């Protein structure tokens, strides 16, 4: 039995589904539902749309009233709050304003004074979040769900497939993967993890029956100046790009968790590997000098058994709440 394949574009990139089902029509219906769900999430949370929830929140920055949000958005804000605490303040959804200084199309390194001015608007601890009402206390403060929106959409896509009776399939949203069971014969999916400098080869290959794989790296949006690479992953405390690791990939039960973990590891720089080790999830990282390390064997294909990490109770509770909000 061969899977049916479907492609569409959303969230700024290509999306691919590979689905085994009872019939072609059943698979097509499931794929249509997935596409509708991913596009719904994009419409609801894109910072590029004036009518999105995020834009409405940002539009009331500086207001004493703020805005009440629905349960789904509240779940995501609770998740962002827990991830902020889990990362010691490095995973911060208010840091998007730093884009005003860092234009990766222009290839220009901003002045420290410009960064310093924007840092006054950064800090989740400044936000007044009292479910279901959120207030951004300073004019021009912003929230940006771009750091986890695609991963949340991937998990939602997998949930939609299961709701349609799909027990074997794969969701790929621009490289963020969720596996909905193995192939019908029980064999695992073979997943290649991209090398940050050599796109022609994989940094590692793993065999997975279920779970999710996500990655972060300095190869997605960047420019180079005077031999130094400046990437889009910005430290919310300094306002400057990360520089220790080139790429991190993590395997977890949910893509949301895997993606957040990779971003936090990148932001933690030299402490990122130790943080991942304590989290207890399979991971692999490439360093700027080209070396590759991690609990995932990068020398040969390996069948991986993922286990929930020893993350904080608050983070686990936030994950459960977020995934049950729809």
């Amino acid at each position: 039995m061969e899977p049916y394949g479907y492609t569409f574009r959303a969230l700024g990139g290509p999306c691919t589904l590979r689905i085994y089902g009872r019939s072609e029509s059943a698979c097509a219906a499931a794929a249509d539902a997935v596409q509708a769900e991913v596009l719904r999430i994009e419409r609801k949370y894109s910072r590029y749309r004036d009518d999105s929830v995020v834009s409405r929140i940002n539009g009331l920055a500086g207001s004493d009233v703020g805005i009440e949000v629905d349960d789904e958005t509240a779940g995501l804000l609770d998740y962002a709050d827990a991830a902020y605490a889990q990362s010691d303040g490095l995973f911060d959804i208010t840091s998007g304003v730093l884009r005003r200084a860092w234009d990766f199309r222009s290839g220009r390194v901003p002045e420290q004074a410009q960064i310093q001015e924007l840092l006054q608007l950064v800090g989740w601890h400044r936000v007044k979040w009292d479910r279901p009402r959120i207030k951004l206390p300073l004019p021009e403060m912003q929230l940006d769900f771009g750091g986890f929106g695609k991963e949340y959409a991937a998990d939602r896509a997998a949930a939609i497939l299961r709701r349609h009776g799909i027990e074997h399939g794969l969701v790929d949203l621009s490289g963020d993967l969720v596996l909905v069971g193995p192939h019908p014969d029980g064999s695992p999916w073979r997943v290649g993890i991209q090398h940050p400098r050599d796109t022609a080869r994989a940094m590692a290959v793993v065999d997975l029956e279920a779970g999710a794989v996500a990655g972060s790296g300095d190869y997605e949006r960047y420019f180079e100046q005077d031999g130094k690479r400046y990437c889009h992953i910005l430290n919310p405390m300094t306002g400057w790009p990360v520089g220790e690791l080139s790429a991190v990939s993590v395997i977890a039960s949910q893509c949301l968790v895997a993606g957040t973990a990779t971003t936090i590891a990148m932001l933690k720089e030299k402490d990122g590997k130790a943080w991942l080790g304590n989290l207890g999830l399979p991971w692999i990282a490439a360093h700027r000098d080209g070396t590759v390390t991690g609990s995932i064997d990068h020398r040969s294909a390996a069948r991986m058994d993922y286990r929930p990490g020893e993350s904080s109770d608050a983070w686990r509770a936030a994950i459960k709440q977020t995934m049950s909000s729809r």
Side-chain angles (χ1 to χ4, degrees):
M1 180 187 300
E2 293 296 325
Y4 295 100
Y6 305 90
T7 60
F8 59 96
R9 288 192 65 84
L11 302 168
C15 305
T16 302
L17 306 175
R18 296 181 65 192
I19 307 171
Y20 294 95
R22 300 184 306 274
S23 65
E24 183 175 3
S25 61
C27 289
D32 288 344
V34 165
Q35 182 173 347
E37 175 69 354
V38 173
L39 291 174
R40 180 194 69 81
I41 292 170
E42 180 177 40
R43 288 193 302 270
K44 187 171 182 178
Y45 296 116
S46 172
R47 68 176 185 268
Y48 300 109
R49 294 179 61 99
D50 293 338
D51 59 346
S52 72
V53 170
V54 170
S55 292
R56 292 201 298 273
I57 294 171
N58 293 343
L60 289 171
S63 165
D64 290 333
V65 178
I67 184 174
E68 286 194 4
V69 299
D70 64 294
D71 286 345
E72 181 181 30
T73 304
L76 289 170
L77 290 171
D78 283 345
Y79 180 82
D81 180 69
Y84 177 81
Q86 183 80 4
S87 65
D88 300 315
L90 288 172
F91 191 91
D92 191 328
I93 65 172
T94 70
S95 63
V97 294
L98 294 169
R99 291 190 309 274
R100 299 175 188 172
W102 291 96
D103 181 353
F104 291 93
R105 290 172 296 183
S106 71
R108 179 184 63 83
V109 177
E111 297 293 331
Q112 178 62 37
Q114 184 183 13
I115 294 174
Q116 203 63 40
E117 182 178 354
L118 290 171
L119 284 175
Q120 306 309 307
L121 301 174
V122 176
W124 174 255
H125 64 281
R126 306 178 197 271
V127 175
K128 309 301 181 184
W129 170 229
D130 185 13
R131 188 184 181 116
R133 183 169 295 276
I134 185 166
K135 302 177 188 177
L136 303 184
L138 301 176
E140 298 190 62
M141 277 193 81
Q142 292 183 1
L143 299 187
D144 184 352
F145 285 16
F148 60 80
K150 181 158 61 74
E151 293 84 352
Y152 171 66
D155 286 327
R156 288 295 310 147
I160 294 294
L161 289 182
R162 296 186 185 100
R163 189 178 299 172
H164 278 255
I166 302 299
E167 298 179 351
H168 310 280
L170 176 149
V171 175
D172 180 350
L173 303 188
S174 300
D176 287 337
L177 306 179
V178 182
L179 308 177
V180 184
H183 293 283
D185 63 2
S187 63
W189 297 88
R190 175 152 289 195
V191 177
I193 297 175
Q194 180 179 337
H195 193 284
R197 295 293 181 268
D198 186 356
T199 57
R201 67 184 179 92
M203 185 164 59
V205 178
V206 294
D207 290 346
L208 290 170
E209 295 182 5
V213 184
S216 295
D218 65 3
Y219 52 87
E220 295 169 334
R221 293 194 304 278
Y222 70 93
F223 66 85
E224 293 184 351
Q225 187 176 109
D226 299 326
K228 183 174 181 178
R229 179 174 293 219
Y230 297 89
C231 78
H232 75 290
I233 303 174
L234 305 174
N235 185 312
M237 298 179 181
T238 67
W240 286 82
V242 299
E244 178 68 22
L245 300 173
S246 294
V248 177
S249 290
V250 169
I251 300 171
S253 298
Q254 291 102 5
C255 198
L256 184 63
V257 175
T260 304
T262 64
T263 302
I264 293 173
M266 292 286 293
L267 288 166
K268 281 188 171 289
E269 303 273 11
K270 293 180 180 179
D271 296 327
K273 295 187 299 178
W275 183 84
L276 284 169
N278 290 332
L279 192 63
L281 296 173
W283 62 276
I284 190 168
H287 300 253
R288 284 292 177 92
D289 63 5
T291 59
V292 176
T293 58
S295 61
I296 296 174
D297 188 352
H298 61 279
R299 293 163 298 182
S300 62
R303 193 180 185 110
M304 297 296 302
D305 293 322
Y306 66 87
R307 297 179 177 85
E310 295 300 321
S311 54
S312 69
D313 290 341
W315 200 15
R316 285 198 294 270
I319 293 164
K320 183 178 180 180
Q321 174 66 34
T322 302
M323 298 316 297
S324 63
S325 62
R326 287 278 304 169

